[in-house]
Structures are given as C-alpha cells and as structure tokens.
Amino acid sequence: MSFTGTLDKCKACDKTVYFVDLLSADGTTYHKACFKCSHCKGTLVMSNYSSMDGVLFCKTHFEQLFKESGNFSKNFQTCRTHPSH
Ligand SMILES: [Zn+2]
Ligand SMILES: [Zn+2]
C-alpha cells in the first residue's frame, strides 16, 4: 500500500476522493461513505462485499440480484427502478 497524495476518483460517485475519505478495495478507490450496498445501503466491510461494474453490493444482495436468475443486467435494471423491492 502506498499513498502518494494522488487524488483519485471514487468509483461509485465519480468525485474526487481526499485522503481522509479514501477507501481502497481491490485497487479501486471509493469514499468511505460510498462503500455501501447500492441496494440496501448497508455498510460494507472489506471481507463482505461484491461489486459489479463499480457498483457495490453486500454479499447477500449480490447473490440475490445476480446469481438467482442468472440474468445480471435485467435484474440490475429492475432493482434500480424499484428501490423499495
Ligand atoms: Zn464517492
Ligand atoms: Zn445489500
């Protein structure tokens, strides 16, 4: 791990991440506040998260949304459109 002071952009919101807000997961930079499941908004931890195209999910919802049906993009669209699901 090396922090050189470079300002990276958060993969989740595409805004600059300052060092104090920086969280790096698998070489991808996020704000600490952005490192949460996009479905349930639950806080994620390094050992319990999944990501799809930079969108983060908790393991539970990643499996619910993507693995059950086998149709990734369709379910993704559905759940974004109906967040109360
Ligand atoms: Zn962010
Ligand atoms: Zn979740």
Side-chain angles (χ1 to χ4, degrees):
M1 279 302 210
S2 63
F3 295 106
T4 59
T6 304
L7 295 180
D8 288 318
K9 287 198 171 179
C10 172
K11 179 94 172 175
C13 69
D14 203 33
K15 291 176 183 164
T16 301
V17 182
Y18 295 95
F19 177 75
V20 290
D21 279 332
L22 189 149
L23 188 152
S24 184
D26 280 344
T28 305
T29 302
Y30 300 97
H31 292 110
K32 286 175 186 169
C34 290
F35 196 65
K36 59 189 178 185
C37 175
S38 68
H39 191 69
C40 67
K41 310 300 182 194
T43 304
L44 299 175
V45 294
M46 287 296 192
S47 58
N48 185 26
Y49 83 97
S50 295
S51 66
M52 174 66 62
D53 286 338
V55 181
L56 296 162
F57 299 94
C58 62
K59 282 269 197 253
T60 302
H61 286 128
F62 186 82
E63 290 181 8
Q64 268 184 21
L65 295 172
F66 299 126
K67 290 191 177 170
E68 279 183 3
S69 74
N71 188 331
F72 282 30
S73 57
K74 182 164 180 273
N75 270 287
F76 182 72
Q77 293 289 341
T78 301
C79 290
R80 294 285 279 193
T81 310
H82 303 287
S84 63
H85 165 64

